[in-house]
């Protein structure tokens, strides 16, 4: 089987299911590490509702879904922060599909979407405990930089200058 990547409305049922899976995993990891418990279900529902993903809608953002064997297997989003600069966010692959090449393909598609939005630079942030994400970004040419935001959960910030696409 192979991956295919396609744009997806941020508010579609597919996008909502991927967002829920992503947020549940990263939230549970944080709470298990710092408080020895999983995310409170009410808190999870509040946070999922607050972070709709509307910033990933055209004309200044894109949400991409990776499909593996016809199944929505992962996502990546980009949004313009300023002229020429976009943010990479919501990079996620379902655990049972990891190791099959989906994450690099999603990031590459997000980079292309950022270029299409006029960005020559892509920024992202992640946490210390998300070691797999940090390794992925380093492997894909992202370099760790000084903070570019004040997100309370951000502990590592990365940057990549995007090569100009051919004609």
């Amino acid at each position: 089987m192979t991956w295919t990547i396609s744009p997806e409305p941020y508010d579609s049922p597919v996008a909502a299911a991927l967002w829920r899976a992503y947020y549940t995993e990263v939230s549970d990891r944080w709470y298990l590490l710092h408080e020895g418990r999983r995310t409170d279900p009410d808190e999870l529902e509040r946070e999922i509702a607050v972070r709709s993903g509307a910033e990933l809608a055209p004309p200044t953002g894109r949400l991409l879904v990776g499909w593996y064997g016809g199944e929505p297997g992962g996502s990546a989003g980009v949004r313009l922060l300023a002229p020429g600069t976009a943010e990479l966010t919501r990079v996620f692959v379902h655990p049972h599909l990891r190791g099959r090449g989906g994450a690099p393909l999603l990031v590459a598609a997000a980079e292309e979407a950022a270029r299409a939005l006029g960005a020559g630079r892509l920024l992202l942030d992640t946490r210390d405990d998300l070691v797999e994400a940090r390794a992925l970004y380093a492997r894909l040419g992202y370099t760790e930089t000084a903070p570019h935001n004040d997100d309370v959960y951000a502990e590592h910030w990365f940057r990549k200058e995007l090569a100009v696409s051919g004609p």
Side-chain angles (χ1 to χ4, degrees):
M1 282 192 249
T2 60
W3 287 91
T4 58
I5 313 291
S6 61
E8 183 74 25
Y10 77 91
D11 57 353
S12 75
V14 166
L18 286 165
W19 174 230
R20 177 176 294 284
Y22 168 88
Y23 197 84
T24 300
E25 180 176 347
V26 297
S27 183
D28 279 353
R29 280 178 73 161
W30 192 90
Y31 278 113
L32 285 167
L33 179 65
H34 295 282
E35 297 183 13
R37 65 174 180 88
R38 294 196 179 279
T39 309
D40 175 83
D42 291 337
E43 178 185 16
L44 181 70
E45 293 307 316
R46 280 192 309 274
E47 288 302 312
I48 286 172
V50 166
R51 299 174 187 237
S52 71
E55 71 278 8
L56 303 178
T60 58
R62 299 287 184 276
L63 178 66
L64 303 162
V65 168
W67 300 82
Y68 189 80
E71 171 187 352
S75 65
V78 292
R79 68 181 180 126
L80 284 178
L81 296 176
T85 302
E87 179 183 39
L88 176 64
T89 186
R90 294 194 187 195
V91 177
F92 172 74
V93 173
H94 277 297
H96 70 281
L97 295 174
R98 292 179 186 159
R100 299 179 190 197
L105 292 173
L106 281 160
V107 172
E111 291 172 0
E112 191 57 39
R115 282 186 204 93
L117 293 171
R121 173 182 316 107
L122 202 50
L123 305 176
L124 66 91
D125 65 67
T126 190
R127 296 191 325 233
D128 197 49
D129 63 307
L130 300 176
V131 293
E132 307 91 341
R134 293 190 351 254
L136 171 72
Y137 300 134
R139 195 168 58 249
L140 297 177
Y142 288 78
T143 56
E144 199 153 354
T145 65
H148 63 266
N149 64 28
D150 59 359
D151 185 316
V152 67
Y153 295 107
E155 297 167 310
H156 295 270
W157 295 262
F158 288 83
R159 171 186 181 140
K160 184 176 184 179
E161 298 299 320
L162 301 176
V164 177
S165 295

